[in-house]
Amino acid sequence: MDLGIGGRVAVITGSGRGIGRATAIALGREGAKVVITDIDASVVAQTTEQLREAGVAAIGVVADVCDEAQVNALAAQAVEAFGRVDILVNNAGFTRDGYLTRMPVQDWDAVVNTILKGAYLCTKAVLPSMIANRWGRIINISSRAHLGNPGQTNYAAAKAGLIGFTRSLAMEQGKYNITANAIAPGFIETELVKSLPTYEKLREIALAKNPIPRLGAPDDIADAVLFLASERAGFITGDLLHVTGGRYSS
């Protein structure tokens, strides 16, 4: 099935590893030109080289999505290299868990700014290219945590906010043939998740509550991104797709 992604230019934030990396590989496999961006220079270099070795047109840009100047430079480099930006995947984010009464303001700001401010800055930076070409796909990686998780008030608030951002953006940009959708992953086994001190407990809970009796893989999310980025999803916008193995409750 031709998804109509070949030749499109995709920027994926937080794409040095995990879900972002899997998404970049999947888009590249479909013929997209890919911009790898992450705050960690080493993983940017590794993933970019892997894509190039596979024959994918790719560049790597080190950028902090919370820094407007760096984000604007990222968008400019994408346009300079490939002529435009067609697809943006706002994936950058992380957790700093703790009950609210013990949560330092720095942990609140770091999580909320990366997820929400990062999506705002990156989207704002690439929209002129999409508007000029009257075509765009913006896919925001939310989380099942938008329903609420104890110890994750910062992360849950940011991921819920991303859904509201998505729906408002869809209403604003639809006239330019730009869609905006969100994906809410469940428990996905990434390197970051596996490094958490609570990993084994979280894994046990997820396996017990998932109607589909396995854990999610980064490729499960990448496949959902492929669909929403494709021509096949051109009449879907402002929506939220749960990729959770059927798990909704905490």
Side-chain angles (χ1 to χ4, degrees):
M1 180 187 294
D2 183 6
L3 296 175
I5 291 173
R8 296 293 186 187
V9 179
V11 175
I12 307 102
T13 68
S15 49
R17 55 168 66 90
I19 289 171
R21 177 178 171 275
T23 298
I25 292 169
L27 286 164
R29 192 180 296 126
E30 290 293 325
K33 301 170 185 178
V34 177
V35 180
I36 299 297
T37 184
D38 205 294
I39 200 168
D40 184 335
S42 64
V43 296
V44 168
Q46 291 166 11
T47 302
T48 304
E49 183 60 26
Q50 180 183 359
L51 285 168
R52 287 174 175 170
E53 288 177 354
V56 177
I59 63 168
V61 181
V62 178
D64 179 353
V65 297
C66 296
D67 186 302
E68 185 175 14
Q70 291 185 40
V71 169
N72 288 340
L74 162 66
Q77 286 179 258
V79 172
E80 181 181 0
F82 298 127
R84 64 187 191 277
V85 175
D86 301 302
I87 300 164
L88 171 66
V89 183
N90 284 310
N91 168 71
F94 53 84
T95 60
R96 286 191 185 170
D97 295 351
Y99 283 95
L100 187 65
T101 51
R102 299 193 295 271
M103 183 178 291
V105 69
Q106 296 92 332
D107 287 357
W108 177 275
D109 287 346
V111 170
V112 174
N113 284 347
T114 299
I115 293 168
L116 275 181
K117 185 180 179 181
Y120 153 70
L121 289 175
C122 291
T123 304
K124 187 177 180 182
V126 304
L127 272 176
S129 178
M130 293 181 179
I131 291 170
N133 290 293
R134 294 301 192 270
W135 199 97
R137 299 284 188 267
I138 298 164
I139 301 153
N140 298 317
I141 306 302
S142 181
S143 169
R144 190 206 58 79
H146 79 88
L147 297 167
N149 273 340
Q152 288 194 318
T153 50
N154 50 0
Y155 187 72
K159 292 298 190 178
L162 201 54
I163 297 167
F165 174 82
T166 300
R167 289 175 174 154
S168 297
L169 187 64
M171 294 175 184
E172 291 182 8
Q173 303 303 322
K175 60 188 174 184
Y176 301 114
N177 196 32
I178 297 168
T179 66
N181 291 288
I183 295 171
F187 188 89
I188 307 297
E189 283 199 298
T190 64
E191 299 97 318
L192 182 61
V193 167
K194 289 179 181 178
S195 71
L196 295 173
T198 55
Y199 165 70
E200 289 299 336
K201 181 180 179 181
L202 292 171
R203 182 178 185 276
E204 182 181 346
I205 292 170
L207 283 172
K209 293 191 174 185
N210 283 3
I212 295 176
R214 69 170 176 87
L215 300 177
D219 284 345
D220 291 315
I221 309 306
D223 287 342
V225 172
L226 282 183
F227 171 65
L228 290 175
S230 76
E231 292 286 2
R232 307 279 173 163
F235 201 55
I236 300 171
T237 195
D239 218 334
L240 172 65
L241 174 62
H242 284 88
V243 185
T244 64
R247 179 184 171 200
Y248 296 99
S249 66
S250 60

